[in-house]
Every structure is written in C-alpha cells, then in structure tokens.
C-alpha cells in the first residue's frame, strides 16, 4: 500500500494548472461518451448534527489507463470558526488487475482543484466576453481560492476580482493572499453579496450554505454564475437562467437548488446541457447573451479519481510516498 501525504500531493500539483485543466476536461469527455461508471454518492449524516456530513464517491474511469476507487470526504462547517479546514478527504485507489487496494492519498487538494478546474472550464465556454477582465467570488474558503487560480489559468485576461464573505476578516485575508495566486489581478472586498454579484459578469459561489439565500437580480445582463456550492440560488433564479450541469442525475439530488427546482416543476426541462457535451461539441446549446448562465457541478467522483491516479503515478515515478508492506493478507 502506498500512502501519499498532503504535502507530497501539494508538491506534485504545484504549477500543474494547465495539466489539471486538460485532465479534468478529458475526463468529462469520457463521462459524456459513457466510458465511466459513476454510482450516486453516499451521504452519511448524523441525526443530532444536521450541518455535518461525510460523503463517499465511488468511481471508475475507462480508457487506455483505467482506474477505480473512492473518495471519502467529510464536511464539518463548524471547523472554520476554530481555524480549521471545513473539509477533509482521503482517496483509495484499487488495482485494476486484481482489485486490491494499492494507494491511499490525502485528497483535500485534489478535491478542491478538480472542482475549480471544472468551474474554470465551464466559465471559458459560458462567458459572453471571450476575454473577461473581472471575476466576483462569494465565499472565501479553499474552493474559491482554487477557483481564482484555475480561472486565471484558463482566462488569462482577468485583471480584477471582487470578494465577499459573511466574515469580513476572512474576506480581507483572502484578498491579501490573492496576490500569491494571481499577482496581476487587483482584488477588492465587497460590503454586500449583491455588490459582488453586480461587480463583474463572471461570478463564483462557493459557500457553505445549506438553503437557498440568493437570487440573481443584481447580476449584470448575460452574467455567468459558477454555482459551485449548489445550494445558494433560489428556485426562481435557477428557472430564470440557462443551466449547465456536470450530470443531471447527480446534481438533482440532496436538496440542491436544482433538485428543488425539479421538485417545483416536476421535470428537468430547465437544464440545457451537460458540460461534457459542451466540451465535445455535441450539445444543442446556444448561449443567450441577455440571460444569466448558471453552471452547477455536483462534483463527479471520476474527476477525483483521474487526478488521484495521476498523483499516484507521479509519486511512484518520483519515489514519493510511504510504502506499507504487509498491509494485505
């Protein structure tokens, strides 16, 4: 069994934004072609702790370098107040030769970067201006930290960012750190969520909201909203937008904003296209420059798996990680 620690994962992923974008895009294409297996995620909830949960994401990616495994990711929002990360994750990879577990990888950064890469890929296909100059970020945790990094890598024209968080100190700290991610992007802090929504036509929502709390009335015409946290938008906001998802069967679950929209309408007609089809050029979708477009990614385990496989292979090649002998019988 090969154990790969967080610091080793971070070293391997440092400076690899373009490769991660390419890998995530290719995995979306494979998924859209039906060359993956992706059961529904399993949610472990606690009766006396409704905000906390642990999610299991089993997945298989086919192709020339097939892989199978599972991400186990915990979300404990109360950690933030104690100065700890909200999410923690581990990834288990199985051998495709005999099924035995062969690698255990700390996966919080893998999870954040695959999420951000998917948002950046969607942004590049949904923005109405091919060279946008600004980005608004609502929520200043690790996910939007990576969204800024990967969106800048995908859309190098970005020069301005506005951030908002319910905790002004967190927003200010995020703005201070942003110079390390994107030195040529000027970052300012908004006083209200609506101010951030209207600041730029590209918006990323990455909060810990459990219930809808935002409409999109403050957005600029034709805005693109990366609805990464999935539960921010009202049903009316979803139904009024053009909607792109990663996978409709996955995103219309667990009381996401799109699930609530499906419950309200009795159908999924408000979903316009999956991102994989956009990337493959097979979607019958036309961007309306006067309407808001919303990208809502449930977060597919195949993306974690593809990136974890790459980390494992790089670690093996570089002699990184700790090999535990005698783990198997």
């Amino acid at each position: 069994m090969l154990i790969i620690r967080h610091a080793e994962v971070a070293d391997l992923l440092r400076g690899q934004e373009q490769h991660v974008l390419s890998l995530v895009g290719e995995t979306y294409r494979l998924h859209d072609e039906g060359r993956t297996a992706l059961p529904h995620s399993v949610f472990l909830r606690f009766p006396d702790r409704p905000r906390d949960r642990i999610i299991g994401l089993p997945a298989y990616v086919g192709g020339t370098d097939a892989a199978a495994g599972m991400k186990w990711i915990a979300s404990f929002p109360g950690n933030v107040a104690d100065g700890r990360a909200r999410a923690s994750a581990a990834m288990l990879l199985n051998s495709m030769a005999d099924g035995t577990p062969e690698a255990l990888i700390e996966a919080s950064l893998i999870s954040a970067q695959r999420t951000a890469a998917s948002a950046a890929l969607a942004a590049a296909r949904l923005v109405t201006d091919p060279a946008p100059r600004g980005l608004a970020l609502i929520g200043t945790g690790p996910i939007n930290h990576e969204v800024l990094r990967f969106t800048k890598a995908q859309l190098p024209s970005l020069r301005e960012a506005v951030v908002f968080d319910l905790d002004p100190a967190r927003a200010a700290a995020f703005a201070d750190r942003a110079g390390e991610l994107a030195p040529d992007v000027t970052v300012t802090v908004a006083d209200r969520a609506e101010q951030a929504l209207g600041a730029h036509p590209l918006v990323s929502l990455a909060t810990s909201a459990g219930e809808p709390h935002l409409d999109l009335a403050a957005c600029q015409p034709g805005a693109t909203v990366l609805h990464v946290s999935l539960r921010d938008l009202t049903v009316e906001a979803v139904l009024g937008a053009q909607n792109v998802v990663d996978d409709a069967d996955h995103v219309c679950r667990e009381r996401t904003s799109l699930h609530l929209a499906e419950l309200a309408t009795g159908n999924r007609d408000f979903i316009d296209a999956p991102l994989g089809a956009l990337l493959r050029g097979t979607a019958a979708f036309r961007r309306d420059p006067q309407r808001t477009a919303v990208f809502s990614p449930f977060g597919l385990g195949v993306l974690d798996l593809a990136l974890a496989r790459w980390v494992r292979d790089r670690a093996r090649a570089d002699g990184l990680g700790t090999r535990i002998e005698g783990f198997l019988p």
Side-chain angles (χ1 to χ4, degrees):
M1 172 69 78
L2 181 64
I3 310 295
I4 306 175
R5 299 171 297 174
H6 174 81
E8 293 164 324
V9 174
D11 285 343
L12 291 169
L13 289 175
R14 187 169 291 112
Q16 296 293 329
E17 288 83 6
Q18 292 300 331
H19 185 80
V20 173
L21 285 162
S22 177
L23 183 61
V24 168
E26 178 57 27
T27 306
Y28 270 128
R29 294 182 185 94
L30 288 171
H31 182 64
D32 194 65
E33 292 169 2
R35 299 171 68 188
T36 66
L38 191 65
H40 278 154
S41 304
V42 176
F43 281 69
L44 175 61
R45 300 186 185 277
F46 314 106
D48 55 344
R49 302 173 64 171
R51 295 186 67 201
D52 299 335
R53 62 181 186 266
I54 306 177
I55 310 172
L57 291 83
Y60 164 79
V61 177
T64 57
D65 187 17
M70 181 168 180
K71 181 175 75 170
W72 188 240
I73 181 166
S75 175
F76 281 51
N79 287 355
V80 175
D82 297 331
R84 293 177 291 159
R86 175 187 62 84
S88 58
M91 189 89 197
L92 181 69
L93 299 186
N94 292 78
S95 166
M96 289 302 299
D98 59 13
T100 55
E102 60 181 13
L104 180 64
I105 306 171
E106 198 287 323
S108 60
L109 188 57
I110 288 172
S111 186
Q113 290 204 2
R114 65 81 155 148
T115 301
S118 68
L121 290 168
R125 280 143 187 86
L126 294 176
V127 291
T128 56
D129 180 350
R133 290 190 56 82
L135 169 67
L137 301 154
I138 296 179
T140 55
I143 298 298
N144 261 345
H145 185 272
E146 297 297 337
V147 167
L148 176 58
R149 183 202 307 275
F150 279 88
T151 306
K152 174 62 176 174
Q154 185 73 14
L155 297 169
S157 60
L158 291 175
R159 292 293 181 271
E160 301 174 11
V162 172
V163 301
F164 172 78
D165 195 280
L166 291 175
D167 183 343
R170 277 169 54 86
F174 184 99
D176 290 340
R177 295 195 311 272
E180 303 170 11
L181 300 175
D184 58 346
V185 175
T186 300
V187 181
T188 58
V189 177
D191 296 325
R192 297 176 298 111
E194 291 76 13
Q195 180 186 351
L197 281 174
H200 297 293
L202 178 57
V203 179
S204 174
L205 305 176
T207 76
S208 58
E211 297 290 338
H213 61 103
L214 278 179
D215 61 36
L216 297 175
C219 286
Q220 296 185 20
T224 296
V225 177
L226 308 172
H227 186 206
V228 177
S229 39
L230 288 178
R231 294 171 178 83
D232 301 275
L233 299 182
T234 64
V235 168
E236 293 74 20
V238 171
L239 297 180
Q242 292 185 291
N243 289 284
V244 173
V245 301
D246 52 2
D247 186 299
D249 286 337
H250 287 260
V251 80
C252 290
R253 299 180 65 226
E254 296 293 332
R255 296 189 65 78
T256 66
S257 293
L258 275 77
H259 186 200
L260 297 178
E262 180 188 28
L263 293 175
T265 61
N267 59 62
R268 298 177 181 174
D269 295 346
F270 56 88
I271 297 177
D272 293 277
L275 179 57
L278 292 185
L279 295 174
R280 293 178 62 214
T282 59
F285 172 78
R286 294 294 179 269
R287 181 73 167 89
D288 184 340
Q290 296 304 310
R291 293 179 65 193
T292 298
V294 173
F295 174 57
S296 299
F298 192 75
L300 303 183
V302 289
L303 306 180
D304 300 285
L305 180 60
L307 188 50
R309 175 186 59 193
W310 181 84
V311 166
R312 177 204 64 192
D313 292 346
R314 282 284 309 276
R316 283 175 171 172
D318 294 350
L320 299 176
T322 302
R323 183 164 295 280
I324 305 299
E325 303 295 341
F327 178 80
L328 296 171

